[in-house]
Amino acid sequence: MRTVTFKSVFESILRQLGMDPRGDAVSTDAGLSISDNLNDRVNTAWFAWEWPEWTITEERAFRQIWNNSRQFYQVAADGEPDEVFYIPNVATASLVDAAYYRVKTNGSGDPPLGVPPTNTTYWEPMDTVDTYVAFDQACRRRIGEVIDVFANNPATCKPPRQLPHRVNENGIQVYEAGGLPTVFVRYLIPAERFTTFPYIASRTYLRGDMVYVADQGECYQAIVTAMGHDPATEFTYWRRCLFPAVLAKYVQLGTYADCLRESNTSDERDPVMLQIRGQNAGQAASDAEDEINRQINRLQAQGQNFQYLPFGVVLNRGGRGALCSVPGYVLQGGGAYNYGPIAPTGSGVTTIDDRCETEWGYIPPPPPPVTPDVPGEGLDVESGITALVAGQAYIDVVFLVPQDDANWIFVECGVVNTSDSSPLNIVPGIVTSKTTTGFRLQLSGLPDTANYYLHWAISEVSAGTGPTTPATSYSLSAPTSGGIGLPSTPFAVQLPVDTSVPTPVTVTPSDGGGGGTFTPASVTLTTATPSASFTYTPASYGAKTISVTNDGGLTDPGDRTFTCVATTYTLTGPSTGSPGVPSTNFTVALPAGGVVPATVTVMPGDGGGGGTFTPTTVNLTTAAPSATFTYTPASTGAKTISATNNGGLANPAPLTYTATSPVHLLNTLISYWKLDEASGTRADSVGTNNMIDTGGVTGVAAKINNGAFSSGASFLSCAGNPTLQVTSDFTVSCWVRVDDPATLRIILAKAPAALAPADYMLRHHPTLGFIFTVNATNLTVGAPAVAMSIHHLVAWYDSSDTFIRLRVDDATTYVSGSIALVQGTDPLGLLSSGFGTSDWVGWIDEVGFWKRKLAAEEITALYNGGAGLPFSSFTS
């Protein structure tokens, strides 16, 4: 989807309201007012049309799809057992043996992760299935408004059978679905929303919360609980809210109008000013409607028909029962209604797979429920299963029910992966944050997939069972390296297991004057919270000594060495060159002062462009932080020059390097007729093939200065000679105006009076359009030119394949089959054959004849964007 930044739309509205977005401070209330009106306008336009960029047609089951990476429950978030659609042959896209199942309420517990529904210990088949599709199915894109429901795939079945449906508390209730295991739903994705509330790194954001990041000028929505995770870079926590470019202008104008209407006018007592405000609001609202209609007209002009009927429309009332008169229900299809639940049976093929959707419009479901406390059975135990985040060395767990205090203990804590064939050996580490509402647990490694889960259970500690051994020391665990200006992974301080302190102990970290910052500046250890964490943001490269001190009389741990290393490098270099010629130097470099722990090898590439690099790799080290290489392209065109490395550094953005062949149009140019003369003989600017005027060819304003004009009774010619004969590659170029496209006429020809066999000839046919003829072979465009239209024609013969080609207006090249050249002694004629046959009506200008085939760059240069290239610009 083509998008614009939210910032560009918001700032445009501010300017219309008379504010300077770069200088004026925008109040919170004003920002909220604008964003509220903006969201209302987005929502209005979003559902005003079947916008193709957010209209989806896809196959849906009546329940969530089972897969082996998700946990299912006897008691799910809605208080009912989980129900699933199981596709055992999903790998082959087959619905054979697919069926609906639910977790057994009288089974032996929740199904273990990965246990399929065919296991009768935990699952039971569903005899009947209520045929509805939830708007927010787990692992599928959210549905905003349903447009249509089909029994067949509309992409393969023409026409598909439409199914009657309506919206109810379950989602989309589908009727007449007997025997269908799945249906195809056409729907609009829910409208995007935007905010002006800024992102605050220290704040915890819940799933669905939205923030604004000024540096990117974009809004982001949390897809899981997040704190301290940058919305612009950490996409496992956030998704970008997309602002469609097609709606931008409408939203700007409409929001401006809405803001004018709601602004406080108590200080404006001049009735003229109030009238002007009202007129401005009305004009902006009218302009907004014109803009949205203009965008819709563009889609209609491209062939789109409006099929979506918004809620409130009623169709086909007669003879179809009470359901037909329900506002918002659109009757589609025939046959008796099946109001009761059905039991779909599996057969045929499917487009559904069992992977979780990650495309735009999908927000992961809420975390799975945890087992509730059971009162009266000793100390309360709370447990749960939390998915680990791929590539993240810790996991944050939030309790469903807050504890009375932070003095709880683990009953169970382990990492499980039953999906991957070779999972990593990841085990729980230390707890770096322990509160009444949850904990942060460090891991022994980085999960490499999303198939790792933490199984945990905690229990309250009864009075008098807390640790009694006094602590005399504490430990410090630390990362070894990080990037400049970036918070490190957490440092952790912790009391020894089963020890206590009489009063809170404040621990203060330091980098010995290294200039970095710690967040927070100090942490506190207590008996109830025996561990804490902080991050370090270095201000300069190199090794830093990290130490901690405390005010509780404990023995401090030993210092740790933290090295601030480079995390990026740059790529700079030239942007143009020629095929086969080494470029000037490209340079890769570490940031100024950057440190790397080992030699980093950088490998340049051109994305398969076929060029060569010298040398093929270069090295970066702390002592030699930059290196150079050259690039020799193998062909013309734009090349994407990129660099990768083996040191884990973030690769720089690629560069575009355009290789072009030198344009030397004087090379092997035999004759060139500028045709600037007003009358009489037309001179050959290169050779001696001057053109003799027969019948009074007149000079008229043409593409460049004058051209030669004929009304159908005059032409130019020169006697045949060896310089105009062809035995190998040749090219003819000219500009023409087509005054009479309805008659077969000759543009230029070196051919006998009977026109065949021709050395070469250009004509225009009333139905076939431009024709290039060599010998007796005709190469045609296939459609006639428009009367009075002007065109650039380049025709050539290529001896490498013996084909002839015709390129029109440097846009389309037409190709023939194999032909044989002929060498006649006939004259060359312009505006006709050399014998005055089928004289042209219109003008011809800037005619060139080369005994070679021109390169693509040379043809483009002659066309010159439609302006033509003067002969004075030709070089050799």
Side-chain angles (χ1 to χ4, degrees):
M1 181 172 71
R2 294 173 179 172
T3 64
V4 297
T5 63
F6 169 73
K7 180 180 182 179
S8 66
V9 178
F10 184 73
E11 290 188 349
S12 175
I13 297 167
L14 290 178
R15 292 188 184 95
Q16 288 178 295
L17 292 170
M19 290 183 276
D20 179 5
R22 306 294 182 181
D24 294 343
V26 181
S27 68
T28 301
D29 183 66
L32 287 174
S33 173
I34 294 172
S35 60
D36 285 346
N37 288 324
L38 179 146
N39 284 326
D40 288 344
R41 285 288 178 167
V42 169
N43 191 72
T44 297
W46 196 275
F47 298 108
W49 188 262
E50 285 183 42
W51 303 102
E53 292 167 295
W54 54 88
T55 301
I56 306 295
T57 302
E58 63 184 1
E59 187 175 5
R60 288 294 183 100
F62 299 114
R63 297 296 183 273
Q64 59 182 313
I65 307 299
W66 181 90
N67 67 33
N68 59 13
S69 64
R70 296 186 56 240
Q71 179 65 53
F72 299 94
Y73 297 91
Q74 283 183 323
V75 182
D78 60 358
E80 300 293 332
D82 273 327
E83 297 178 346
V84 302
F85 183 52
Y86 175 52
I87 313 174
N89 298 304
V90 67
T92 58
S94 171
L95 285 177
V96 173
D97 298 328
Y100 288 87
Y101 297 84
R102 72 165 58 89
V103 177
K104 294 176 70 171
T105 56
N106 60 351
S108 57
D110 294 331
L113 202 67
V115 171
T118 51
N119 186 311
T120 57
T121 301
Y122 299 98
W123 297 89
E124 62 183 359
M126 297 175 64
D127 296 328
T128 59
V129 178
D130 194 1
T131 53
Y132 65 84
V133 178
F135 280 105
D136 294 320
Q137 278 188 344
C139 287
R140 291 294 179 266
R141 268 187 287 237
R142 296 175 299 153
I143 295 175
E145 287 192 7
V146 62
I147 299 174
D148 217 338
V149 180
F150 303 100
N152 326 95
N153 187 349
T156 58
C157 181
K158 307 293 184 180
R161 179 165 69 91
Q162 295 173 304
L163 297 174
H165 61 276
R166 65 176 295 176
V167 173
N168 64 14
E169 68 279 6
N170 294 322
I172 308 165
Q173 190 75 44
V174 183
Y175 300 92
E176 300 186 11
L180 296 176
T182 61
V183 294
F184 287 81
V185 181
R186 181 174 173 82
Y187 63 91
L188 297 172
I189 286 176
E192 290 280 24
R193 294 189 63 81
F194 304 90
T195 185
T196 55
F197 276 116
Y199 169 70
I200 302 172
S202 59
R203 177 180 173 182
T204 298
Y205 293 94
L206 303 180
R207 172 180 175 270
D209 285 348
M210 292 192 305
V211 297
Y212 172 65
V213 180
D215 288 346
Q216 278 71 38
E218 298 282 19
C219 296
Y220 296 84
Q221 185 177 39
I223 57 178
V224 293
T225 300
M227 183 181 73
H229 297 284
D230 183 5
T233 59
E234 301 197 47
F235 305 121
T236 55
Y237 291 88
W238 299 90
R239 74 168 189 90
R240 182 165 66 94
C241 300
L242 304 178
F243 203 112
V246 69
L247 303 185
K249 189 65 176 178
Y250 165 79
V251 173
Q252 291 168 9
L253 292 167
T255 304
Y256 168 59
D258 297 340
C259 290
L260 286 179
R261 291 191 181 105
E262 77 167 19
S263 297
N264 182 5
T265 61
S266 60
D267 293 334
E268 293 184 3
R269 304 188 183 279
D270 186 341
V272 175
M273 295 303 297
L274 291 175
Q275 182 181 10
I276 291 173
R277 174 190 287 272
Q279 290 173 344
N280 288 343
Q283 183 62 51
S286 175
D287 290 345
E289 294 307 312
D290 289 345
E291 168 61 18
I292 198 68
N293 286 325
R294 186 178 70 85
Q295 296 298 340
I296 291 172
N297 289 341
R298 288 178 61 250
L299 292 177
Q300 290 177 316
Q302 297 175 72
Q304 185 183 13
N305 293 320
F306 184 59
Q307 299 174 346
Y308 172 51
L309 295 176
F311 286 94
V313 177
V314 180
L315 295 184
N316 301 340
R317 289 177 180 269
R320 295 294 296 185
L323 185 64
C324 304
S325 62
V326 176
Y329 174 69
V330 180
L331 184 60
Q332 302 161 340
Y337 290 120
N338 294 326
Y339 290 102
I342 61 169
T345 56
S347 65
V349 297
T350 182
T351 61
I352 297 176
D353 62 37
D354 59 359
R355 294 171 296 180
C356 278
E357 179 65 72
T358 59
E359 297 296 329
W360 174 48
Y362 170 68
I363 294 182
V370 297
T371 305
D373 292 342
V374 181
E377 297 186 5
L379 297 175
D380 286 345
V381 173
E382 184 172 353
S383 63
I385 300 173
T386 303
L388 304 187
V389 180
Q392 180 176 286
Y394 65 90
I395 185 64
D396 289 320
V397 174
V398 178
F399 299 147
L400 183 64
V401 178
Q403 302 299 298
D404 294 335
D405 56 46
N407 191 26
W408 49 262
I409 61 173
F410 279 107
V411 176
E412 176 190 3
C413 188
V415 176
V416 176
N417 183 336
T418 61
S419 301
D420 295 339
S421 57
S422 301
L424 302 177
N425 182 26
I426 296 177
V427 297
I430 66 171
V431 175
T432 56
S433 176
K434 181 182 179 186
T435 68
T436 59
T437 58
F439 60 89
R440 172 171 288 189
L441 177 71
Q442 302 296 319
L443 305 172
S444 65
L446 299 178
D448 56 343
T449 70
N451 296 328
Y452 295 83
Y453 294 84
L454 178 70
H455 290 236
W456 57 270
I458 63 162
S459 173
E460 297 175 351
V461 179
S462 59
T465 60
T468 58
T469 303
T472 58
S473 63
Y474 63 104
S475 63
L476 170 65
S477 60
T480 59
S481 63
I484 191 169
L486 301 174
S488 67
T489 54
F491 289 73
V493 288
Q494 184 172 22
L495 297 175
V497 177
D498 294 331
T499 63
S500 64
V501 289
T503 59
V505 176
T506 299
V507 177
T508 303
S510 170
D511 66 355
T517 56
F518 293 91
T519 304
S522 63
V523 294
T524 300
L525 302 179
T526 66
T527 302
T529 308
S531 63
S533 64
F534 56 86
T535 61
Y536 174 61
T537 303
S540 59
Y541 291 107
K544 315 295 178 184
T545 299
I546 307 300
S547 62
V548 288
T549 57
N550 75 96
D551 65 354
L554 304 180
T555 302
D556 294 320
D559 298 343
R560 302 290 188 268
T561 299
F562 179 93
T563 303
C564 178
V565 297
T567 57
T568 62
Y569 64 106
T570 59
L571 169 64
T572 57
S575 59
T576 59
S578 300
V581 179
S583 67
T584 56
N585 282 340
F586 288 82
T587 302
V588 288
L590 298 175
V595 173
V596 287
T599 298
V600 176
T601 300
V602 177
M603 293 76 69
D606 66 355
T612 57
F613 294 90
T614 305
T616 55
T617 63
V618 294
N619 293 328
L620 301 178
T621 65
T622 303
S626 66
T628 62
F629 57 86
T630 62
Y631 174 60
T632 304
S635 60
T636 59
K639 316 296 179 182
T640 299
I641 308 300
S642 61
T644 57
N645 75 97
N646 67 349
L649 304 183
N651 292 316
L655 304 177
T656 298
Y657 183 88
T658 303
T660 57
S661 295
V663 177
H664 297 310
L665 289 167
L666 290 179
N667 292 351
T668 66
L669 178 60
I670 304 303
S671 291
Y672 193 89
W673 298 276
K674 295 189 292 183
L675 305 177
D676 287 342
E677 294 87 352
S679 61
T681 299
R682 269 58 168 187
D684 180 352
S685 298
V686 176
T688 59
N689 295 314
N690 297 328
M691 288 287 173
I692 305 303
D693 184 348
T694 300
V697 174
T698 58
V700 297
K703 177 53 65 173
I704 299 175
N705 300 323
N706 280 348
F709 175 81
S710 171
S711 60
S714 58
F715 63 95
L716 302 172
S717 65
C718 70
N721 62 77
T723 67
L724 298 175
Q725 290 179 332
V726 290
T727 58
S728 187
D729 296 341
F730 72 90
T731 302
V732 177
S733 168
C734 65
W735 286 89
V736 295
R737 189 180 74 191
V738 186
D739 291 16
D740 179 21
T743 306
L744 176 62
R745 296 187 181 278
I746 296 175
I747 300 169
L748 63 82
K750 186 178 184 303
L755 302 183
D759 288 29
Y760 42 89
M761 177 167 53
L762 280 172
R763 294 175 290 172
H764 184 275
H765 189 276
T767 58
L768 299 177
F770 293 112
I771 304 174
F772 178 36
T773 303
V774 171
N775 200 330
T777 298
N778 295 321
L779 171 59
T780 65
V781 168
V786 176
M788 306 306 290
S789 59
I790 298 171
H791 298 279
H792 183 233
L793 306 179
V794 179
W796 70 94
Y797 169 80
D798 187 342
S799 62
S800 66
D801 57 12
T802 69
F803 291 174
I804 58 174
R805 291 169 172 82
L806 173 61
R807 185 164 179 82
V808 180
D809 296 332
D810 196 30
T812 304
T813 300
Y814 303 89
V815 185
S816 76
S818 178
I819 60 100
L821 298 177
V822 295
Q823 296 82 39
T825 59
D826 309 297
L828 171 64
L830 304 183
L831 301 169
S832 176
S833 71
F835 298 98
T837 306
S838 302
D839 293 353
W840 185 249
V841 176
W843 55 248
I844 187 171
D845 196 10
E846 305 298 322
V847 182
F849 175 67
W850 291 261
K851 285 196 175 179
R852 65 178 175 93
K853 59 184 178 183
L854 298 186
E857 293 83 0
E858 294 174 309
I859 296 174
T860 298
L862 284 172
Y863 185 68
N864 195 22
L869 185 69
F871 178 74
S872 58
S873 299
F874 288 15
T875 61
S876 59

